[in-house]
Structure formats: structure tokens, C-alpha cells
Amino acid sequence: MTDSLSPSRRGVLTAAAALTLALTVPALAGGEPRQGGDVVFLIDSLGPTWIPNNSAISSFQGHIWGHVTDKLVYVDADGKVSPWLAKGWEQNADATEFTLHLREGATFSDGTPLDAASVVANLDIWHAGRIKEGINPIGLFPKTYERAEALDARTVKVVFNAPTLGFIPTLGYHGSILISPKTLARPAAEQADLGKTAGSGPFLVAAWKEGDFVKLVRRKDYNWGPAAVGRTGPASLESITYKVVAEPSLRVAAVQSGQADIAYNASPQELKSLKEAGLTVATPRYLGFVNGWAINTKLAPYDDVRVRRALQAGIDRQEIIDTVYTPDWKLATSFIQSNVPGATDQSARLAYEPDKAERLLDEAGWIKGRGGIRAKGGRPLTLTLYSNPYLATAKAVDELIAQQLGRLGWKVDIRAYDVVTFGQKVQFGGPAVPAYEVTRSFIDAGTVASILTNANNGENWFALGDSDAKINELRDRIAGAKTIEARDPLLDELQRYVLDQGYFIPRTQIVQRIYVQSPKLKGETYNGIAYASYYTATKGE
């Protein structure tokens, strides 16, 4: 393999040679893919808990759950829904009742059949959790859920108290993992023991150590994979080991040197040289929101639509991609990713127009003074950005945007916290956070409006409450839509309105998961949440 890396990078490779993975890692060599093989996946973290409801939506633990558990439907990278353990379904005309028909023969690893009763148990805990025990509901599971009942061993009826078009797609969300009822009945402390959790997936947990590694082995009797990925029987790989290596350069160097097969979350700036060195690079986009800011409209001066519109027009998004990222990243065309069904192209609303931004700020009374900083009533025009610690490039993007906005008269302050402090002070916004950086997945665009507003305990991203009748009307009409054909024009109107009001300021489409892997590993697939599945993969000798 040709090493086209810099001398400093070679030093990292030397350091990686001394890295002890505490694993048996096969050497890479030439040859055709074969049955079997052991794969090592190096990852930043394995998260704080293995309680299924609390960890399935984690960017880290979701990788393991995707191999240990199954879902009722499969959602691909384009948002297309296809049968999996639900082999078919019907809904009534109002989209308030759904009937799921389950395939036969699937079992959990503890021997429990995956039948209608087990599906009802999972739906119930996804909806309600057991909050007093510390078991959370699944965040994007429909809040309109009323009940589910087993009509017979293979048929489940699910009832909602309002139209819920997004129910079927949400069954493919990464939180909607099927767990044995015996596991679900256990208290939270026991559910947190990954080794005792029974799923129905193509791999079993062979060993694990908190914060260190998880080793999965092939389940030999597995025979119910999703037809959409081209395989239904047992996996080809013998094992997958997820090993925590905190330093990104060491993860990548270990793959380069043949000690590991996949490195997660490499730096975007390294991708070109890694491709040139013969490694495989994947940057799948997930279905969800783009990377951007939700604006707190209760905080001055962002309670003024002219200031928000100036912010929208004052960001040069192409420069962000050209400077911080690579051609693997795409320009934002709305506040939701362009691969989400129902997303529409709003690029004109996101054009870089500094003259327009200057004019809007002038109209709003913010006048340039000494040093080029604008002020009004003796107060400078300020914006505090809190760099997202979950996204390696966040601070670099913030610094570039600070330069862009500085030319227009903003005084931008950037604060960087570790994950714990960020969670305490910033995450999910707050009364003192003017711009909350969003990186968030979802499966069905119909859930978007209720996330943005405060309906049904929604997250009220823009601190609007009930003050904006228009967005609330769109929310209710989207939620009440009984067909996709009726809903799509409303989603288009919502996207136009939110961007025109400057409620959401997109930055780029999001590639939150970056994979660098050995070219000897082939055939992996990426689902709608951009997780790599090695169920279909093979490894050369």
C-alpha cells in the first residue's frame, strides 16, 4: 500500500504500531472475500449506559444495536421503507389505525418468539418508557400513540388518537429496536448489562467491558434479514469487535497499519490522502436536520426578524464547504437534509447576500461604529456560539462564520465546552443561548413541525410558544394530514416559512458519521441514519 502521508503522519503510524488493542486482529493480506473473518472497528466512545431505550439513539451505541437487534421495517439512505420483521401492513383512511403482519420464525436470542405480544411490549415501552426507573421513552416515537394489541400471534393492531402518517417510517428509526420482553421486564440496572440483553439480530454479544470494547459473534441460526440489503440468512463475518480508541489519528493509523479494519470519525481534511493511500472512505448522510442553528427568538436582538434574516443572508455556505470540508459535503438546500422524503429545494433562501444583510441591519437600527462593530442604543451587535463537541469540525466552522459575520458588523464570541459541560449549559438550547447548534436525525418529515414547536410536549426550538400562529397552523395541518399527497405541500410551506423568518439558520448538510476502512472489507450497507451494517459484509484473506 502506498503511503502518501506527511512525515508527521508517519510518526502517528509509528505510534499506532505500539497501540495495544487487547484483541486478536488478523493480518491483512491479498485474496478473495471468504466466509468468516473477524473485524475490528475503532470508535471514539461506547457511551454511558446500555439500557436499550436510553442508548439506541446514541451515535456510538447505535452501531452495536444495529447488529444485535432488528426492526419492524427497513429504511434505506433515501428514506424508502420496505418490509423486515413486519412483512406487510395496512392503515385506515384517517391514518389512526395500523395493522402489522409479522413474518414467521424469528426469535430473540433467549429463545422467546418474536411474535405479536413481543411487538406490543416494545411499542408500549418505546412510547412511555418507565421514567421513574430511569428508562426513557424513545424521543421521536409518535406522541399520539394510544395502544397496541395482539390480534393473534402474527398480527398487531396499533391505534393512535390522531392521524399519524409517520408511524410506519418511524419503525425504522434507530431507537425502534426490538428487544425480548424478558429483557424489557427487568429493572433498569439489569437492562444496563449488555451481556444479558436479548435481541433478534444477526450477531450476539460474546463479551464486553464498560468503556473499553464490545465483541459480537455471528448468530448461526439467523434467517430473517431485510430483503432490501440482499441477504436474509446468517452473516458472513464471524465476529465484529468495537474497541474504544479516543485519539482520532490513532484510530486511522491502526487501519492504515493493518491492526484494525474500520476507524470511525476521522477528520474530513484527512479523507483525500487516505483515499490516495488505498483506504475506503464512506461519508453517508443521514435522514434528518442539516447542521445549523435554531434561533432563540426571545433573546434580543434575535427577537427582530430583520436581524435573523440578516444572519441568514450573511453566511457564505460555499466557503464553509471549500474551507473546512471536502466535496463529500453538500450545500444545505433547506433546514432538512435533501435526501429526506418531503424535503424541497429552498436554495434561493440560503444565498449568500452580504449587501442584503447590511441593508437589513441598517433598517433595524444597527449602525457600524469604531472597529466596524455595529451598535444600537449603546449596545454592540453580538452573537455567542457554543461549538458542538459531538461534531469534530464545529469549532472550525464557527471560526469561519465569525469572520464572515465580523465583516458585516457582528462581534462573535466562540465558547467550546467538553461533552459534559455542553450538556449542562447548552444542549437543547436554553434561555441564555441565542443560537443552538443542531445535528439531529429523524426518519419521517411529518415529525418536524411538532419538534420545532411546543405541541404535545414538543421541543419548542425557537422559544415561540404560541406566539406564531402561522407555524402552529402549519404544524397542526401537517399532523392532521391523512395522505402524503396532502402533506407534502404543507411541508414545503413550512420549510419556506421557517427559513424566511430566520428561525433556523442552516450551515451545511450533515455527514456526522465518517468511516475509514480497509479495502479488504467489502459489501457493508448504510441505512437511513447513516449507520454501517456489516451483516452483509465480507472480508478478504
Side-chain angles (χ1 to χ4, degrees):
M1 185 178 295
T2 302
D3 184 356
S4 61
L5 304 181
S6 66
S8 62
R9 184 84 175 105
R10 293 175 194 275
V12 172
L13 288 174
T14 302
L19 178 66
T20 301
L21 298 180
L23 303 167
T24 301
V25 184
L28 296 180
E32 294 299 315
R34 60 184 174 85
Q35 183 72 19
D38 302 288
V39 164
V40 175
F41 185 119
L42 302 185
I43 195 167
D44 321 28
S45 168
L46 285 173
T49 179
W50 285 103
I51 296 171
N53 266 35
N54 298 9
S55 60
I57 62 172
S58 161
S59 291
F60 303 116
Q61 292 139 306
H63 293 276
I64 287 83
W65 288 122
H67 290 89
V68 173
T69 66
D70 295 318
K71 299 182 180 68
L72 287 162
V73 304
Y74 184 80
V75 178
D76 70 13
D78 296 317
K80 181 182 178 183
V81 178
S82 58
W84 191 348
L85 289 176
K87 63 181 182 181
W89 50 85
E90 298 97 34
Q91 70 181 59
N92 67 356
D94 292 334
T96 57
E97 293 185 7
F98 296 79
T99 303
L100 307 177
H101 303 283
L102 307 180
R103 65 187 297 173
E104 296 183 11
T107 60
F108 295 100
S109 58
D110 61 7
T112 303
L114 202 160
D115 58 8
S118 69
V119 170
V120 170
N122 276 272
L123 291 168
D124 284 347
I125 200 165
W126 295 344
H127 167 64
R130 295 203 300 268
I131 295 174
K132 290 183 178 179
E133 290 185 47
I135 299 172
N136 299 329
I138 298 299
L140 291 184
F141 190 76
K143 294 179 174 64
T144 50
Y145 177 83
E146 191 171 290
R147 69 180 189 280
E149 56 184 292
L151 300 184
D152 59 43
R154 293 279 164 256
T155 312
V156 179
K157 180 180 179 181
V158 188
V159 180
F160 296 88
N161 58 32
T164 309
L165 273 177
F167 171 59
I168 296 297
T170 299
L171 296 176
Y173 184 59
H174 56 321
S176 304
I177 58 172
L178 294 166
I179 300 290
S180 169
K182 291 181 182 178
T183 298
L184 297 180
R186 292 176 178 154
E190 292 183 24
Q191 288 193 30
D193 185 346
L194 180 63
K196 295 180 180 177
T197 297
S200 63
F203 288 87
L204 308 170
V205 177
W208 72 291
K209 182 179 179 182
E210 191 78 61
D212 186 8
F213 76 94
V214 176
K215 182 171 184 177
L216 309 180
V217 295
R218 176 176 56 185
R219 182 175 172 179
K220 294 181 173 61
D221 65 342
Y222 186 80
N223 195 32
W224 44 87
V229 302
R231 189 183 192 97
T232 57
S236 173
L237 297 175
E238 191 64 38
S239 73
I240 309 170
T241 300
Y242 290 86
K243 170 70 179 175
V244 174
V245 175
E247 173 55 49
S249 61
L250 288 181
R251 293 195 298 272
V252 171
V255 175
Q256 181 83 11
S257 64
Q259 287 186 287
D261 302 284
I262 307 110
Y264 188 53
N265 279 351
S267 166
Q269 285 77 19
E270 289 188 283
L271 299 186
K272 182 180 178 182
S273 63
L274 291 170
K275 289 177 185 177
E276 291 171 350
L279 298 180
T280 301
V281 171
T283 54
R285 287 180 300 152
Y286 60 39
L287 302 166
F289 295 100
V290 301
N291 175 245
W293 300 321
I295 300 299
N296 185 340
T297 61
K298 284 191 174 179
L299 283 182
Y302 303 100
D303 54 349
D304 187 331
V305 67
R306 294 168 296 186
V307 176
R308 299 195 301 268
R309 285 174 173 161
L311 194 59
Q312 194 75 279
I315 295 175
D316 186 343
R317 296 167 175 86
Q318 187 63 57
E319 187 182 21
I320 294 172
I321 290 178
D322 293 344
T323 305
V324 179
Y325 292 115
T326 73
D328 296 270
W329 273 254
K330 297 180 182 295
L331 282 170
T333 56
S334 180
F335 65 87
I336 55 180
Q337 303 265 84
S338 62
N339 56 333
V340 174
T344 51
D345 189 345
Q346 309 293 334
S347 300
R349 291 176 164 78
L350 302 177
Y352 177 48
E353 300 178 280
D355 291 343
K356 175 182 175 181
E358 299 247 27
R359 185 175 68 253
L360 285 164
L361 292 173
D362 288 341
E363 291 174 3
W366 292 92
I367 307 303
K368 275 191 176 178
R370 184 177 300 174
I373 299 298
R374 291 178 181 268
K376 181 179 180 180
R379 292 169 42 200
L381 179 62
T382 61
L383 177 63
T384 301
L385 302 179
Y386 300 87
S387 298
N388 182 353
Y390 296 97
L391 197 62
T393 52
K395 190 167 186 290
V397 174
D398 286 343
E399 289 170 347
L400 181 57
I401 290 177
Q403 294 174 21
Q404 295 173 356
L405 297 180
R407 292 194 291 267
L408 301 175
W410 259 280
K411 182 179 184 297
V412 181
D413 180 29
I414 299 173
R415 298 181 187 176
Y417 296 132
D418 59 28
V419 169
V420 174
T421 308
F422 183 82
Q424 294 169 343
K425 293 178 177 288
V426 183
Q427 200 159 15
F428 306 118
V433 178
Y436 165 54
E437 185 182 335
V438 173
T439 54
R440 179 80 171 274
S441 63
F442 60 78
I443 288 289
D444 184 74
T447 64
V448 167
S450 60
I451 293 172
L452 303 182
T453 67
N454 62 354
N456 294 318
N457 296 315
E459 297 174 20
N460 196 24
W461 278 9
F462 315 128
L464 291 167
D466 292 321
S467 65
D468 186 330
K470 177 69 172 178
I471 196 172
N472 288 343
E473 176 202 356
L474 286 168
R475 170 199 70 203
D476 295 341
R477 292 174 67 194
I478 288 168
K482 299 174 183 178
T483 66
I484 296 296
E485 293 73 20
R487 193 180 73 178
D488 278 351
L490 299 171
L491 284 170
D492 176 61
E493 187 175 356
L494 176 73
Q495 291 166 76
R496 286 187 276 117
Y497 184 73
V498 166
L499 295 174
D500 283 346
Q501 292 297 311
Y503 291 152
F504 194 110
I505 311 295
R507 301 182 344 160
T508 68
Q509 294 203 47
I510 182 68
V511 172
Q512 193 173 7
R513 309 190 213 287
I514 303 172
Y515 302 85
V516 175
Q517 74 180 37
S518 162
K520 307 305 179 188
L521 186 63
K522 299 181 185 298
E524 75 280 2
T525 57
Y526 299 92
N527 66 12
I529 309 298
Y531 282 113
S533 171
Y534 299 98
Y535 165 55
T536 56
T538 58
K539 183 179 176 182
E541 294 182 347

